């Protein structure tokens, strides 16, 4: 698998309440998107990034990080071949991403994601 971007997914109770800290104080001023349950903020100067998540909309568990890859299908096949626990199956979500969630050996849930073709 080839990771092209890695971002933390921070669990928050309310995105709007947390937003000012991350945008105002930390300077992650660009809101890339906000779906109500997940929002991504970046720094226009540095590209620093964070995703705030209240609760994953379709997965039974929340991911600690999101890993973007150009070939989600190959990553899924490799995770299965290696015997890793798939937490959420390979799915094209209604919001336009192709993803699956896998549990790392240390217990961390990881969102492996690409944009649907």
């Amino acid at each position: 698998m080839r990771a092209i971007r890695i971002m933390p997914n921070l669990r928050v109770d309310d995105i709007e309440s947390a937003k000012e800290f991350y945008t105002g104080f930390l300077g992650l001023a660009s809101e890339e998107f906000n779906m109500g349950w997940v929002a991504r903020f970046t720094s226009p100067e540095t590209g620093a990034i964070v995703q705030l998540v209240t609760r994953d909309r379709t997965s039974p568990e929340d991911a600690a990080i999101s890993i973007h890859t150009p070939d989600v299908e190959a990553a899924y096949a490799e995770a299965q071949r290696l015997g890793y626990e798939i937490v959420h199956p390979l799915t094209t979500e209604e919001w336009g991403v192709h993803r699956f969630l896998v549990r790392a050996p240390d217990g961390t849930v990881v969102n492996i994601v690409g944009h649907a073709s």
Side-chain angles (χ1 to χ4, degrees), residues 2-68:
R2 186 170 70 94
I4 56 175
R5 180 161 79 167
I6 299 173
M7 70 184 79
N9 297 327
L10 301 181
R11 179 90 160 93
V12 298
D13 290 330
D14 180 74
I15 289 173
E16 289 306 312
S17 296
K19 182 177 178 176
E20 177 55 34
F21 177 82
Y22 292 96
T23 59
F25 180 65
L26 295 184
L28 305 178
S30 295
E31 184 176 271
E32 288 186 44
F33 67 85
N34 186 335
M35 296 171 51
W37 63 272
V38 60
R40 183 181 307 148
F41 301 95
T42 61
S43 166
E45 292 82 30
T46 67
I49 192 167
V50 69
Q51 227 165 227
L52 305 180
V53 182
T54 59
R55 177 76 178 112
D56 193 298
R57 186 166 166 202
T58 62
S59 175
E61 294 188 48
D62 295 330
I65 59 174
S66 290
I67 311 291
H68 289 249

Side-chain angles (χ1 to χ4, degrees), residues 93-107:
E93 303 288 5
E94 66 183 54
W95 56 90
V97 298
H98 198 48
R99 72 176 186 150
F100 69 98
L101 278 72
V102 60
R103 189 177 314 280
D106 66 5

